Amino acid sequence: MQLSLRRLLHNRIELLLTFVVPIAFFSVFALIFGNGIGSGTTPKVKVVIVDEVQSPDSTAIVESLRNSAGLRLMNDDTQDEALSLHDASDMVRHGNVTIAIVLKPGQGEAIRSDLLADASDQVAGQVVSALVGRELVIAKTRQAARARRTMVRRPPTGEATATSNPLVRQQSVVPEESLDPSELVQIVDVIGEDKANPVVSMYAAGIAVMFLLFGATGGGGVLLEERENTTLDRLLSTELTMDQLLLGKWFYLTALGFVQVCVMFVWGQYVFGIDLRGHLDGFVMMTLVTSSAAAAFGLFLATLCKTRGQLNGLSVILILTMSALGGSMVPRYVMSERMRELGLWTFNAWALDGYDKVFWRDLPVDALLPQLAVLMIAAVGFLLVARALAIRWEFD
Amino acid sequence: MIYAESPALEIVNLRKHYRRIEALRGVDFELGRGECLAFLGPNGAGKTTLIRALAGRTRPTEGTIKVFGHPIDSIGARQALGLVPQDLALYGDLTTRENLMAFGKFHGVPRRELKKRIDWALQWTGLTDRARDLVGGFSGGMKRRVNLACGVLHQPKIILLDEPTVGVDPQSRERIFTMLDQLSDEGASILLTTHHLDEAEQRSDRIVILDQGRVIADGTIDELVLSTVGHSRLVRVRVDRPLTAPVTVPGDGGQRRTVHVGEAGRDLIETRIDDVTVNLGPFLKAVRHGGYVVSDMEVQVPSLHHVFLHLTGNELRD
């Protein structure tokens, strides 16, 4: 026991992995879910409203929803043209908003609502449904109150007498059952309704990106092993240059990562019903670019570190943090705005957004341009920094 | 192009500074064509720095290195060099053939010749039957042989070996030197660093001794012996009891003068004798005349070991 303890005390990396890494990782999760930097910024659901009723009551509902603390209204009717149902549905499909609230005329003066939702965010639908349902019930109550006042002012007629019973009057103006908010609001899944097991593809992407990063840093670590056992020295004494060496490793890690993700998704297709064949072009583009970015990141970390042990410690902290922030472990929609913004500094977030567009939103490949561009820039950037850091290994 | 007159390697005023440490302080020497040169020196003398500079792995602060008359950084110079590093710089998780193939490609061996060269290397190292085995499971001697083969697969004209036999048994050492002799016979120039002085003495044509970043001796073993300890033999005689006083060996009235050998209180007498055939007899006669009986005697021929210690001293160089 003494021997083991003494060896541990002499090994800084081991000490770091034993005591610091768990604390660091715990702190990251505490910041995501606890009272850290994410506090006070409860995630607001991005919505648009399509008002097909265009009545004073519906306008009041829109205004009330605009002021709701839980919603962020992304269309402003005072400046923009009124949003059509088709446009709103497109916004949901493209991920610009989570839900489109469509106010529709119901029976009589009643207003009901369809929520065009992205079912991948399972929390938002319930939150918005509750908020909209509440507003609809309030509106109905107001309508009922108005109706009562009208009835009181109106002189009694035979017809009116027939309906003078308050219960009968209420049924004619505001049907009793429609006061139940759940019956006034209907959630319409505009993305996932025709898909077979669509959410699995998102989890597959999350796991795939995380393991791509682990695989790439492990592969990059070979460079440090070669340096430690002087094989790198020998390689560089041949006709091989550092440029060729790094590019060779980058191509290899990219190809390996690509095959790794392909195998995973093929398994997903046959076992869990992921529609890989239907999204092959987008999948290939995203996987190729994500693999190349992960490979470059692995080489960057390897050239940044002095020893394999150092790389192991650093990569565990960074990859787990990036995966947590970027949505590989926890869906980003449960995070606060601040944490979501932070997540955009990880390429997990960009990669997952890309896979989300391919498998979940069925968007064409040109919609992947922002994600592909960011990941490609990251790949080139990491590779250039890795090359610059490797200069110190070329000569003493 | 190779100039007919130029040596294989020509090193002039080579200096290398590592911040405050001066690893090489103006090294000058040549390696002739087809010559086998042993490079000796205590730990930290600068041998590995020199090898690294020759292999293009470190940039000298000053000085020039020429390979067959051309600067080391000229096209083709690197191809003329083959480095066999001190550490086993191999991939343990690849087979012998795969290691040879990888390093052959990195050294620029054309694809059409590669198989032939690998077959030669396997035969040369005696590892044909282990071609498909992972190198990680080999003995130290076998790994050394593969290490050597990977450095010469491209048929370099100059082979740089940094302690090629460190940590191997005598049989493997013998095998490695037989392999090097083969390369030497084929015309390769060999520069090897070693701590095995007997190896350097027996296997090299010339010896260069480096100490504290400077060349302190350069020549054949005979030249080095003559210029340092001389050809006198060290004679050690153990007697039956401690001396009461130093033994007097009388002169012959000619070239041999009267000398006093040994110390009072010690039973071991050490002296140097220039010509044992003439002077050993009078020395032993003087010992017996002093009333002592010789119980043991040793005559040591001057060797590289004596030269090395004479030049570099007995102090540890850790």
Side-chain angles (χ1 to χ4, degrees):
Chain A
M1 183 189 159
Q2 268 193 341
L3 180 72
S4 302
L5 183 63
R6 279 184 188 282
R7 289 185 66 192
L8 176 69
L9 291 174
H10 284 299
N11 191 334
R12 286 184 196 170
I13 299 296
E14 192 86 8
L15 275 173
L16 191 81
L17 285 171
T18 310
F19 295 107
V20 180
V21 171
I23 291 172
F25 196 52
F26 156 72
S27 303
V28 170
F29 269 88
L31 287 172
I32 292 174
F33 298 110
N35 297 320
I37 55 174
S39 65
T41 54
T42 311
K44 287 189 173 186
V45 182
K46 287 182 184 175
V47 297
V48 286
I49 302 177
V50 179
D51 184 0
E52 290 185 343
V53 182
Q54 295 290 341
S55 68
D57 283 334
S58 68
T59 307
I61 292 171
V62 171
E63 279 311 308
S64 185
L65 289 173
R66 188 189 302 281
N67 297 326
S68 170
L71 303 178
R72 183 196 279 185
L73 198 58
M74 303 302 286
N75 62 329
D76 187 350
D77 286 341
T78 58
Q79 292 172 4
D80 305 335
E81 288 180 19
L83 204 62
S84 72
L85 185 64
H86 181 262
D87 290 342
S89 178
D90 264 3
M91 287 177 83
V92 176
R93 283 181 188 281
H94 282 80
N96 299 329
V97 294
T98 313
I99 288 174
I101 302 168
V102 183
L103 298 178
K104 290 182 163 183
Q107 288 179 337
E109 286 184 48
I111 299 173
R112 50 176 287 273
S113 176
D114 282 351
L115 303 183
L116 309 184
D118 171 1
S120 68
D121 187 340
Q122 292 160 2
V123 177
Q126 299 306 316
V127 171
V128 177
S129 173
L131 290 170
V132 173
R134 176 173 162 271
E135 293 302 327
L136 292 179
V137 170
I138 290 170
K140 287 220 174 290
T141 312
R142 272 200 302 265
Q143 285 169 359
R146 271 203 311 272
R148 272 198 300 275
R149 282 197 299 274
T150 307
M151 294 299 292
V152 168
R153 281 198 296 271
R154 200 172 285 170
T157 62
E159 191 184 341
T161 309
T163 57
S164 60
N165 182 330
L167 273 175
V168 175
R169 191 178 67 229
Q170 194 175 27
Q171 279 173 352
S172 67
V173 179
V174 185
E176 191 180 19
E177 62 274 12
S178 65
L179 278 172
D180 180 2
S182 65
E183 294 195 8
L184 295 172
V185 182
Q186 187 188 0
I187 299 176
V188 181
D189 184 1
V190 294
I191 300 177
E193 56 193 348
D194 302 326
K195 293 188 173 71
N197 217 356
V199 181
V200 174
S201 63
M202 299 319 303
Y203 288 115
I207 299 292
V209 173
M210 191 164 70
F211 276 89
L212 265 182
L213 287 170
F214 275 120
T217 49
V222 171
L223 198 61
L224 285 169
E225 269 174 26
E226 285 172 341
R227 189 177 169 270
E228 284 168 14
N229 65 22
T230 70
T231 311
L232 182 65
D233 243 7
R234 183 173 209 166
L235 292 175
L236 294 175
S237 74
T238 67
E239 294 191 338
L240 192 70
T241 63
M242 185 58 96
D243 290 333
Q244 291 169 326
L245 184 71
L246 283 180
L247 279 175
K249 288 192 184 296
W250 181 61
F251 276 120
Y252 165 73
L253 291 174
T254 300
L256 186 70
F258 181 76
V259 173
Q260 183 187 8
V261 179
C262 285
V263 168
M264 192 169 162
F265 271 80
V266 167
W267 171 262
Q269 173 168 307
Y270 285 107
V271 179
F272 298 104
I274 295 174
D275 183 15
L276 180 60
R277 279 190 198 149
H279 303 93
L280 208 55
D281 49 355
F283 168 77
V284 168
M285 288 170 85
M286 275 311 299
T287 305
L288 207 55
V289 173
T290 308
S291 303
S292 69
F297 179 72
L299 290 175
F300 159 69
L301 280 190
T303 49
L304 187 68
C305 294
K306 285 183 179 172
T307 62
R308 184 77 196 237
Q310 212 174 49
L311 175 69
N312 289 344
L314 185 66
S315 62
V316 166
I317 295 173
L318 277 181
I319 293 171
L320 291 182
T321 306
M322 287 204 308
S323 299
L325 283 175
S328 280
M329 294 179 177
V330 184
R332 290 178 65 224
Y333 60 75
V334 302
M335 298 179 196
S336 66
E337 279 297 311
R338 179 84 183 274
M339 295 306 284
R340 283 193 215 185
E341 282 168 16
L342 268 179
L344 289 176
W345 288 97
T346 70
F347 63 67
N348 296 58
W350 289 94
L352 294 186
D353 282 352
Y355 282 109
D356 178 67
K357 284 183 174 178
V358 173
F359 285 100
W360 183 249
R361 300 181 192 284
D362 284 332
L363 296 180
V365 287
D366 55 358
L368 299 174
L369 193 63
Q371 283 73 29
L372 294 175
V374 168
L375 290 170
M376 277 196 277
I377 289 167
V380 174
F382 282 132
L383 205 56
L384 288 176
V385 177
R387 179 63 190 89
L389 288 169
I391 287 173
R392 71 186 196 279
W393 291 339
E394 281 185 281
F395 298 102
D396 291 338
Chain B
M1 182 191 287
I2 292 173
Y3 298 130
E5 301 80 13
S6 55
L9 268 179
E10 188 181 359
I11 288 102
V12 179
N13 191 31
L14 201 69
R15 291 174 184 274
K16 177 67 186 175
H17 295 202
Y18 291 106
R19 294 199 181 113
R20 289 180 185 175
I21 299 166
E22 218 175 347
L24 298 176
R25 304 178 183 194
V27 172
D28 298 87
F29 74 93
E30 287 181 0
L31 171 68
R33 289 161 183 257
E35 187 181 30
C36 180
L37 188 147
F39 218 81
L40 309 179
N43 292 332
K47 301 187 297 293
T48 300
T49 303
L50 182 78
I51 291 276
R52 287 176 62 77
L54 294 177
R57 295 298 306 120
T58 189
R59 280 186 178 137
T61 313
E62 206 180 315
T64 57
I65 302 170
K66 286 187 176 173
V67 178
F68 293 109
H70 293 275
I72 186 117
D73 50 2
S74 61
I75 297 166
R78 192 177 278 193
Q79 188 66 11
L81 293 164
L83 172 68
V84 181
Q86 180 179 345
D87 296 301
L88 294 165
L90 299 167
Y91 293 101
D93 47 4
L94 293 184
T95 65
T96 315
R97 186 177 282 279
E98 287 166 343
N99 266 289
L100 290 167
M101 187 173 286
F103 283 103
K105 280 182 184 172
F106 294 144
H107 276 298
V109 178
R111 195 176 287 270
R112 60 185 178 281
E113 285 181 29
L114 193 55
K115 191 181 174 303
K116 208 164 64 179
R117 291 301 300 163
I118 290 171
D119 289 340
W120 167 83
L122 288 169
Q123 199 174 11
W124 182 60
T125 53
L127 293 169
T128 307
D129 56 335
R130 306 296 299 270
R132 291 178 188 279
D133 293 347
L134 295 180
V135 167
F138 284 4
S139 68
M142 289 160 78
K143 283 179 185 168
R144 283 273 156 213
R145 272 140 61 196
V146 181
N147 200 37
L148 186 53
C150 287
V152 301
L153 207 64
H154 61 299
Q155 296 177 291
K157 292 186 170 59
I158 301 167
I159 304 167
L160 309 170
L161 300 124
D162 195 2
E163 303 202 30
T165 57
V166 70
V168 300
D169 59 29
Q171 288 82 357
S172 290
R173 277 173 63 186
E174 194 55 39
R175 175 72 197 220
I176 287 169
F177 275 102
T178 306
M179 287 161 63
L180 291 177
D181 287 345
Q182 259 180 277
L183 295 176
S184 188
D185 292 345
E186 288 166 14
S189 307
I190 295 173
L191 188 153
L192 73 98
T193 74
T194 180
H195 283 296
H196 293 286
L197 300 182
D198 56 330
E199 198 169 272
E201 194 172 339
Q202 290 160 21
R203 301 286 184 170
S204 62
D205 304 319
R206 194 156 62 90
I207 291 159
V208 171
I209 300 177
L210 194 71
D211 193 18
Q212 295 181 340
R214 287 193 183 91
V215 172
I216 55 169
D218 182 348
T220 61
I221 180 68
D222 283 342
E223 288 168 348
L224 294 184
V225 167
L226 196 62
S227 64
T228 54
V229 293
H231 281 298
S232 61
R233 271 44 172 174
L234 178 67
V235 179
R236 282 199 180 104
V237 169
R238 193 170 292 280
V239 292
D240 58 338
R241 59 192 164 84
L243 301 179
T244 51
V247 174
T248 303
V249 183
D252 60 359
Q255 281 190 332
R256 199 181 78 224
R257 290 173 299 170
T258 299
V259 291
H260 303 284
V261 295
E263 287 177 37
R266 292 191 65 195
D267 62 355
L268 184 70
I269 305 168
E270 281 185 355
T271 186
R272 288 200 163 273
I273 295 175
D274 287 339
D275 189 344
V276 286
T277 56
V278 176
N279 299 326
L280 186 60
F283 166 65
L284 292 174
K285 192 177 170 187
V287 172
R288 280 196 297 272
H289 190 259
Y292 302 102
V293 175
V294 174
S295 60
D296 194 12
M297 190 180 78
E298 183 187 4
V299 179
Q300 279 188 1
V301 179
S303 67
L304 188 56
H305 179 80
H306 300 109
V307 173
F308 188 80
L309 289 180
H310 178 86
L311 289 168
T312 60
N314 285 304
E315 284 179 25
L316 286 173
R317 302 296 182 85
D318 293 332

